[in-house]
Amino acid sequence: MTSAVKPSTLKFAAIGIDHRHIFGMAQNLIAEGAEFVGFYTEGTPEPLEGFIKRFPTVPRAKSAETFLNDPSIDIILLAGVPCDRAGWAIKSMIAGKDVLSDKPGCTTLEQLNDVRACLAQTDRIWSINFSERFQVPSATRAAELVAEGAIGKVVQTVGMGPHRLNRATRPDWFFDRQSYGGVLADIASHQVDQFLFFTGSTDAEVTMANVGNYANPADTGLQDFGEMSLRSDAGHGYIRVDWYTPDALPNWGDGRLTILGTEGYIELRKYVDVGGEEGTDHLILVNGDKCEKMRALDAGVPFFGRFLEDVRNRTETAMTQAHALKVCELALQAQELAEERFK
């Protein structure tokens, strides 16, 4: 990567705020000392009103090129319509910016190949906010416990990513397969990231993949269920994602992760503990010495500070570039495999 020295206060701008993940992406960078200098988005996407309330002093630009042509801006955040993110990432990197994209970073393997080529050409950083790990303190604590050897060698992850449909707030692109990329390419990228990370895998094989639309037949472009399995030389993984979260649940989804090791296991109840304690970030640890449940809110979310340091120092401490590319590749391969069977 290039060795140009970056200023201590990094500046970032956002292109596209069509997904509410932009809130956490921006707020966490601000909390780590970066300066939010502006945003551009087309039309009036649903998150716009809340975005303006949360970031009232951040100006809206008339065009995205305003940021691409500004040499003082170091980082571009991308949270537009998913199928547009890879194109803006490439434009941003060619303009000399590093990129932090909402997931999915790509919606096709062709887009992924274009991003790879751009990375080789520009030597920039293309990172993806896998929020179900990077914005979850219990995942941080789980990573610490795994690194300490608390459950031995990790041999399997089981990741569950249920979501609430919230039909009334969804834009048209949400129901258009070509726009959002498919349920595995989109949501399951979170769980693919966690599988690779916790098993220490750098590559894997998709051994099973399925998608379906079982509850929303009138929305022919929507996939409301997906599952996939992964196998690497380090371990195995099973992933299930869906849009079936019932209205009675007090959160958008009962996201869980089970990490199985040779000497114990960890279960994360990330957002809600049904029938248990209130709040988020519940972690269960069972091994030869402990059988306990703990809260992990104090573990923090170090990704964003590390990402800024990587931008300054041209390092890869937050997430390696190879990891980001591999997550997208596997999720997209699973999507293609599933759709061959879904036809």
Side-chain angles (χ1 to χ4, degrees):
M1 292 183 176
T2 56
S3 58
V5 177
K6 292 287 186 180
S8 57
T9 300
L10 297 171
K11 295 182 179 182
F12 71 92
I15 298 177
I17 61 166
D18 296 79
H19 198 296
R20 296 175 68 84
H21 284 167
I22 189 62
F23 296 160
M25 294 164 67
Q27 192 60 59
N28 278 292
L29 289 183
I30 292 170
E32 295 293 341
E35 181 182 355
F36 195 179
V37 299
F39 77 99
Y40 169 76
T41 197
E42 293 185 0
T44 56
E46 187 275 334
L48 181 61
E49 182 178 356
F51 180 91
I52 292 172
K53 289 180 179 178
R54 188 170 300 198
F55 306 107
T57 63
V58 177
R60 181 174 184 172
K62 294 182 179 180
S63 74
E65 283 69 24
T66 300
F67 306 132
L68 302 186
N69 295 331
D70 185 344
S72 73
I73 293 175
D74 306 288
I75 300 163
I76 298 294
L77 302 192
L78 300 174
V81 178
C83 64
D84 296 335
R85 292 172 192 166
W88 281 116
I90 289 168
K91 291 179 182 178
S92 299
M93 289 188 285
I94 290 173
K97 317 300 182 185
D98 293 317
V99 172
L100 177 59
S101 175
D102 188 14
K103 64 80 213 163
C106 298
T107 55
T108 68
L109 287 167
E110 181 180 7
Q111 287 183 354
L112 181 61
N113 288 335
D114 290 342
V115 168
R116 277 201 182 97
C118 185
L119 285 166
Q121 173 189 344
T122 63
D123 208 23
R124 306 312 305 173
I125 296 172
W126 179 68
S127 193
I128 300 173
N129 177 37
F130 296 118
S131 57
E132 293 189 28
R133 178 162 68 96
F134 296 150
Q135 292 180 227
V136 175
S138 57
T140 303
R141 181 57 47 80
E144 295 169 348
L145 290 168
V146 168
E148 292 166 6
I151 59 172
K153 173 180 169 52
V154 174
V155 297
Q156 187 200 38
T157 63
V158 177
M160 305 296 185
H163 285 62
R164 179 174 283 125
L165 185 61
N166 286 331
R167 176 180 293 278
T169 67
R170 298 297 182 181
D172 291 344
W173 62 258
F174 178 86
F175 300 96
D176 176 24
R177 160 64 183 83
Q178 299 308 312
S179 294
Y180 71 86
V183 70
L184 295 178
D186 180 17
I187 302 179
S189 61
H190 286 299
Q191 285 72 32
V192 175
D193 159 69
Q194 291 165 76
F195 163 78
L196 292 176
F197 176 77
F198 283 108
T199 62
S201 301
T202 57
D203 199 359
E205 174 190 3
V206 178
T207 59
M208 178 274 289
N210 292 296
V211 295
N213 182 347
Y214 300 110
N216 301 274
D219 300 303
T220 57
L222 178 66
Q223 296 167 359
D224 59 22
F225 172 85
E227 64 175 349
M228 59 181 287
S229 294
L230 292 163
R231 178 177 62 200
S232 75
D233 57 3
H236 305 261
Y238 174 76
I239 293 164
R240 191 208 76 213
V241 293
D242 64 73
W243 288 104
Y244 300 147
T245 294
D247 289 343
L249 193 80
N251 210 316
W252 55 265
D254 187 4
R256 299 192 184 195
L257 174 68
T258 299
I259 308 166
L260 176 66
T262 55
E263 299 174 24
Y265 65 89
I266 294 168
E267 180 186 344
L268 305 184
R269 300 179 182 179
K270 298 179 181 181
Y271 311 112
V272 63
D273 182 24
V274 176
E277 299 178 65
E278 294 184 355
T280 64
D281 292 285
H282 306 274
L283 185 151
I284 295 167
L285 170 64
V286 182
N287 61 18
D289 302 311
K290 296 180 179 180
C291 181
E292 63 180 354
K293 182 180 178 183
M294 65 187 79
R295 293 293 297 283
L297 281 170
D298 62 346
V301 287
F303 169 81
F304 297 91
R306 292 172 181 168
F307 172 74
L308 293 179
E309 287 303 303
D310 289 341
V311 171
R312 291 189 184 98
N313 302 321
R314 314 317 294 166
T315 49
E316 295 186 332
T317 63
M319 175 173 59
T320 68
Q321 190 63 79
H323 178 91
L325 291 165
K326 184 57 65 174
V327 171
C328 293
E329 178 184 323
L330 291 170
L332 289 166
Q333 287 176 346
Q335 186 69 48
E336 285 198 352
L337 176 61
E339 290 182 345
E340 289 176 3
R341 299 171 177 174
F342 188 49
K343 292 177 181 177

